[in-house]
């Protein structure tokens, strides 16, 4: 009996600590700060990404009552520099709401729309087939999506200080608002895939260029994001569904919003003429 107890103790010592999901009261406090547009303090006691995911699930359940049902996902940290900043070797996933994609190009929104409001160049795709969950190459991905949508994301980074990987996951990777442009029909062709990778994405604020990046800034190619996301969701027992929208990641840093600006994201080389999406701030 004593040997069994010692073996059990040794096994328990060898196993990783159980996830330290922040309690519901802490997540409710975070949600209140978000809804009041007040910067929040980081959640304490989290030991890794599973804790941040648990907190995110609780936060999304609260905020979806205010911002509308979940309509898809956003993938954050899709470039090596951003991953290195947070000490991670891979992207992370958040959930986007109806409010995230409600505004159309040309909309005017408050510059102070959130606790720590920012703006960044992004791109959305729409899922048209559940074959996306098994797609691993560019042509298979293109056959499972039907729209590419110009997108200015307006994330809320929420925290006054102490941002790290688990807390970025906990705040739902900053998902809050955005502005969508005119959808572009997907062509399931090698040429369309080439143009997505070769395009240049430019963010301007009406006075100057703020950022410029190639399509390859997102995991080497925008279409590489979807197989990663499908596998991440599968690890948690989830699947992409027809109609899901996926925000592929930032082609620019998340920059503080300023009042009285006209932010434009322009996609050069994707179509015969540049396409763009615009938001104005007040």
């Amino acid at each position: 009996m004593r040997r069994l107890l010692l073996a059990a103790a040794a096994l328990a010592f060898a196993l990783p600590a159980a996830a330290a999901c922040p309690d519901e009261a802490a997540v409710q406090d975070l949600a209140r700060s978000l809804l009041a547009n007040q910067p929040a303090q980081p959640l304490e006691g989290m030991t890794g990404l599973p804790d941040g995911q648990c907190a995110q699930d609780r936060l999304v359940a609260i905020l979806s009552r205010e911002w509308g049902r979940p309509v898809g996902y956003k993938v954050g940290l899709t470039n090596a520099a951003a991953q290195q900043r947070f000490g991670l070797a891979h992207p992370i996933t958040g959930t986007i709401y109806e409010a995230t994609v409600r505004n159309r190009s040309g909309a005017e929104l408050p510059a102070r729309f959130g606790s720590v409001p920012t703006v960044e160049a992004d791109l959305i795709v729409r899922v048209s087939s559940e074959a996306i969950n098994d797609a691993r190459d560019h042509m298979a991905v293109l056959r499972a999506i039907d729209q590419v949508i110009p997108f200015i994301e307006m994330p809320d980074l929420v925290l006054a200080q102490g941002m790290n990987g688990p807390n970025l996951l906990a705040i739902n990777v900053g998902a809050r608002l955005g502005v969508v442009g005119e959808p572009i029909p997907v062509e399931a062709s090698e040429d369309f895939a080439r143009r997505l990778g070769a395009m240049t994405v430019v963010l301007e604020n009406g006075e100057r260029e703020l950022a410029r990046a190639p399509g390859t800034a997102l995991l080497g190619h925008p279409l590489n994001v979807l197989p990663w996301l499908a596998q991440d969701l599968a690890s948690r027992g989830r699947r992409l569904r027809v109609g899901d929208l996926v925000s592929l990641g930032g082609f620019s840093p998340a920059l503080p919003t300023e009042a009285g600006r006209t932010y434009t994201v322009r996609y050069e080389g994707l179509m015969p003429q540049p396409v763009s999406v615009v938001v104005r701030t007040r």
Side-chain angles (χ1 to χ4, degrees):
M1 183 68 177
R2 184 171 182 273
R3 287 182 181 178
L4 288 174
L5 290 173
L6 287 173
L11 179 61
F13 181 79
L15 291 173
C21 185
D23 63 36
E24 293 186 11
V27 177
Q28 287 170 353
D29 286 344
L30 176 61
R32 277 193 287 269
S33 294
L34 268 160
L35 294 173
N37 292 345
Q38 296 296 319
Q41 294 302 310
L43 295 173
E44 297 181 352
M46 293 190 292
T47 59
L49 294 182
D51 309 330
Q53 185 63 59
C54 181
Q56 180 190 120
D57 292 343
R58 289 178 173 176
L59 183 69
V60 169
I62 296 170
L63 294 180
S64 60
R65 302 170 199 157
E66 304 293 331
W67 297 343
R69 65 181 179 86
V71 294
Y73 301 94
K74 69 168 288 186
V75 182
L77 307 186
T78 50
N79 66 73
Q83 293 168 18
Q84 187 174 31
R85 176 187 170 197
F86 288 94
L88 300 175
H90 54 77
I92 57 176
T93 302
T95 295
I96 58 176
Y97 311 91
E98 288 177 308
T100 313
V101 294
R102 182 175 295 147
N103 297 291
R104 295 297 181 261
S105 184
E108 183 177 86
L109 300 175
R112 184 69 184 181
F113 65 83
S115 306
V116 182
T118 62
V119 59
E120 69 177 41
D122 205 314
L123 190 68
I124 280 177
V125 299
R126 187 174 73 175
V127 174
S128 59
S129 168
E130 290 200 17
I132 192 68
N133 294 286
D134 301 309
R136 297 295 180 264
D137 61 70
H138 292 172
M139 290 305 298
V141 170
L142 288 174
R143 287 191 291 268
I145 60 176
D146 63 356
Q147 290 183 353
V148 170
I149 306 170
F151 183 48
I152 297 176
E153 191 189 3
M154 303 183 78
D156 186 348
L157 299 186
V158 183
L159 302 184
Q161 59 183 1
M163 185 73 82
N164 57 21
N167 268 287
L168 181 58
L169 197 57
I171 65 168
N172 194 28
V173 201
R176 184 158 188 171
L177 296 184
V179 175
V180 297
E182 190 69 25
I184 299 167
V186 166
E187 303 167 22
S189 68
E190 295 287 355
D191 182 62
F192 192 76
R194 180 194 60 78
R195 283 183 274 141
L196 276 167
M199 69 179 176
T200 299
V201 183
V202 181
L203 172 63
E204 300 173 336
N205 72 353
E207 292 185 354
R208 60 189 178 90
E209 183 177 299
L210 301 177
R212 173 182 291 261
T216 53
L218 307 186
L219 294 184
H221 193 287
L223 297 177
N224 293 343
V225 176
L226 290 148
W228 181 89
L229 174 60
Q231 292 175 82
D232 181 57
L233 293 175
S235 73
R236 292 181 275 126
R238 300 182 184 180
R239 290 173 60 82
L240 286 163
R241 304 293 185 185
V242 172
D244 279 348
L245 301 175
V246 179
S247 165
L248 298 180
F251 290 97
S252 70
L255 302 173
T257 53
E258 299 177 354
R261 297 290 189 186
T262 298
Y263 293 97
T264 301
V265 173
R266 187 171 64 255
Y267 306 81
E268 301 174 350
L270 177 58
M271 302 300 288
Q273 298 297 322
V275 294
S276 60
V277 56
V278 176
V279 65
R280 298 177 175 84
T281 56
R282 60 177 184 270

